Amino acid sequence: MCSIIGYYGIDTAAPILVKGLKRMEYRGYDSVGVATKSEDRINLKKGVGKVSEVNNTEQLDKLPGTIGIGHTRWATHGKVTDKNAHPHPSNSGRIAIVHNGIIENFSELKKILEKKNYTFKSETDSEVIANLLQMHYDEKSDVKESLIETLRDLKGHYAFVAMFEDGTLAAARFHEPLIIGVGKESYFLSSDVLGFIEQTDDAIYVDNGDFVLIDSAGLQICNFDGTPVKKQITKVSKEFADAYKGDYAHFTLKEISEQPDTIIKAGENTIEAIEQATDYIKHAKNVYITGSGTSYNAALVAKYLMSKYAKIKLEPIISSELPFSPDSIEPNSILIAISQSGESADVLEAVNIAKKSGAKIISIVNLLTSSLVQESSVVIGMNCGPEIGVAATKSFTSQLGIIYKVTEKICAGCIGVDFEKISALIAKILSSHSKIMEVAKQLKDVSDIYILGRGIHYPIASEAALKLKELTYIHAEGIPGGELKHGPLALMDSNVFVVIINPNDSTYNDTITSAREIKARGAKIIGISDKKSDVYDYWIEIPTIEESMFPIIEIIPIQLLAYYSALEKETDPDYPRNLAKSVTVK
Ligand code: F6R
């Protein structure tokens, strides 16, 4: 996933573009570039690194001109190099483009263009867009016509912005986000409203299969065959403007700290949808639940809860595995799709497959303007505000909050969830950082961490491992407690740390036994529990609560542990290497 941005207005474009790119850096951050138009020429600068680093060396924000485009990259085709960074100019240098997505037929297009003597400077799929536009523009001498021809040639999914040397901005959307920001005397083109929210809260969401032209005559939106379409301006929710770190050192810490609030808000913007989802699930023959990464871990909690309390069997499926699953989704089923971004390509593909089998889709999603929302019969909003830190934190507990709310509705209040109480307990855990910071220091030079949990705590062990991997780059693995003796015990020695998720509930005694077996092999034990034990080398205390509710509170100290360990290891907790916030490519 990358971010693209364009600006057409009366102010100097480059500083506006750089600011917008900084706010969208969560989308991809291995390299960055800006191109502007001034005096009928295109100026272009780019380089490898974060926006502020490259801006310091290349002075991106000093480029002249009131029209420009910019990009932050998450490498898919081609290594992380200056040459592969966007924008990419066409051979003549008269057009420059920024692109997010994948051009699937780029090698065929490249061959066609090479036969016509076009040369390529990068290893990217994106550069073909610049030269295709150039080829058609040379033939047609008309931006709109050349755009239509180019869109006919492209296969894949993409959003791109092209800047022509006469200053026209041309953009197109096909299965990747593109939003227009409408200012007083300016237009923005962006992957995310965060790219322009500081300038305007008037936005137009470009539909899939539409393109945009902005020039001195104003704004035109057309579908891919060139027919003009009318679009309404919508006010972007002010909450998007919240995407500031404020006094926090990192977005990740800010987002972890927001959880006393976000757990209460989960689903509150879509109360009726919770009712409707309940009804669908109760009457469905088969219910499947899918997601990727953290969202899949939430799906595992859902399976446990629904089965135990609502007596409903859910089958969890990792989204990326569904295309390879030998058992198809049964007709007349429900698929619950969980996705913070609503843009994960794997989740969208799973949804697509399920819909072909006639399944209805219930989605649990944070971004209510996302592609997943368009595909769903019922949409429950996580309602946790923008999550910028690449590792999911508050969105996970919001997903859990919704799963608890739906389960509770189905079983007519049998769990007795009290979100006010949970909120207060999360706040209590958050206020006692010092022990967690001390434990984080011990993890600095550790190469392997295992996390043990039984029953409903196993999905939390998986989620804990994911957080530790992403934020600290330490190898981490979640293990169902009982599986220890079936293999992982062989790995235990004095170099290993094991986190035991061990609240004082029905899993406690078995898990304490596992902890003793591990300790006997010399490994260090970190106990996450409401009950002290001599087996723990380090005890991170959590408050006591009903057994069913522990998952929501026990993940909080682990998020903090991963965060503080990242600080110890001097990794960047907001932007882990090689990752991107939402994976819109397969
Ligand atoms: C982990 C993480 C990823 C995402 C996964 C799904 O911290 O952030 O594993 O959970 O890429 O993303 P969404 O929920 O946007 O579909």
Side-chain angles (χ1 to χ4, degrees), residues 292-295 339-342 344 347 390-392 399 466-467 470 583:
S292 303
T294 290
S295 300
S339 175
Q340 187 283 131
S341 61
S344 291
V347 179
V390 166
Q399 291 166 354
L466 190 56
K467 288 297 86 85
E470 288 175 300
V583 185

Side-chain angles (χ1 to χ4, degrees), residues 7-257:
Y7 173 78
Y8 190 106
I10 55 166
D11 294 319
T12 308
I16 295 172
L17 294 170
V18 169
K19 248 189 181 177
L21 289 173
K22 269 190 193 151
R23 302 202 70 184
M24 291 198 290
E25 208 163 20
Y26 72 92
R27 297 179 60 87
Y29 38 84
D30 57 43
S31 48
V32 55
V34 167
T36 59
K37 182 245 158 189
S38 65
E39 292 163 9
D40 279 341
R41 60 184 284 261
I42 289 176
N43 319 289
L44 194 155
K45 286 191 170 181
K46 55 187 182 177
V48 169
K50 297 262 181 63
V51 177
S52 49
E53 292 160 6
V54 178
N55 193 39
N56 280 343
T57 53
E58 298 295 325
Q59 313 275 288
L60 303 173
D61 61 355
K62 298 287 184 302
L63 288 172
T66 60
I67 301 167
I69 58 177
H71 188 270
T72 61
R73 180 166 185 248
W74 182 55
T76 53
H77 288 68
K79 291 185 282 295
V80 179
T81 60
D82 289 351
K83 279 197 172 145
N84 289 338
H86 298 219
H88 292 289
S90 66
N91 275 184
S92 67
R94 295 166 62 201
I95 301 169
I97 66 100
V98 286
H99 163 231
N100 169 36
I102 286 186
I103 305 302
E104 282 162 7
N105 59 339
F106 86 98
S107 11
E108 291 141 66
L109 294 171
K110 205 167 168 178
K111 278 185 201 131
I112 295 169
L113 287 159
E114 277 168 345
K115 277 198 188 129
K116 299 192 177 205
N117 296 326
Y118 282 87
T119 56
F120 290 84
K121 295 178 187 65
S122 76
E123 303 157 318
T124 66
D125 53 337
S126 313
E127 199 180 351
V128 296
I129 304 174
N131 282 328
L132 273 179
L133 281 168
Q134 177 73 66
M135 181 178 83
H136 293 305
Y137 188 59
D138 287 348
E139 283 161 17
K140 309 257 174 197
S141 304
D142 180 86
V143 174
K144 185 171 174 179
E145 289 298 317
S146 58
L147 183 60
I148 293 171
E149 289 299 323
T150 300
L151 295 172
R152 276 197 196 120
D153 296 335
L154 296 176
K155 289 204 176 82
H157 43 105
Y158 50 81
F160 67 81
V161 186
M163 181 172 63
F164 288 69
E165 80 183 348
D166 70 352
T168 305
L169 291 186
R173 172 179 183 209
F174 195 64
H175 295 294
E176 293 290 350
L178 181 66
I179 306 161
I180 306 168
V182 183
K184 266 209 185 95
E185 292 176 285
S186 56
Y187 291 107
F188 300 81
L189 291 156
S190 181
S191 300
D192 188 319
V193 292
L194 290 176
F196 54 77
I197 192 68
E198 280 178 87
Q199 312 284 334
T200 176
D201 59 356
D202 282 334
I204 299 172
Y205 288 87
V206 178
D207 283 334
N208 214 22
D210 282 354
F211 70 74
V212 182
L213 290 174
I214 304 171
D215 57 20
S216 53
L219 170 77
Q220 233 191 99
I221 306 175
C222 301
N223 61 31
F224 277 9
D225 67 15
T227 316
V229 290
K230 277 214 161 7
K231 292 285 296 172
Q232 295 291 329
I233 294 182
T234 45
K235 281 269 173 224
V236 175
S237 163
K238 286 283 183 206
E239 67 163 11
F240 285 103
D242 280 356
Y244 286 104
K245 280 191 287 224
D247 291 336
Y248 290 94
H250 294 99
F251 281 112
T252 306
L253 182 60
K254 173 176 181 266
E255 289 155 9
I256 291 172
S257 306

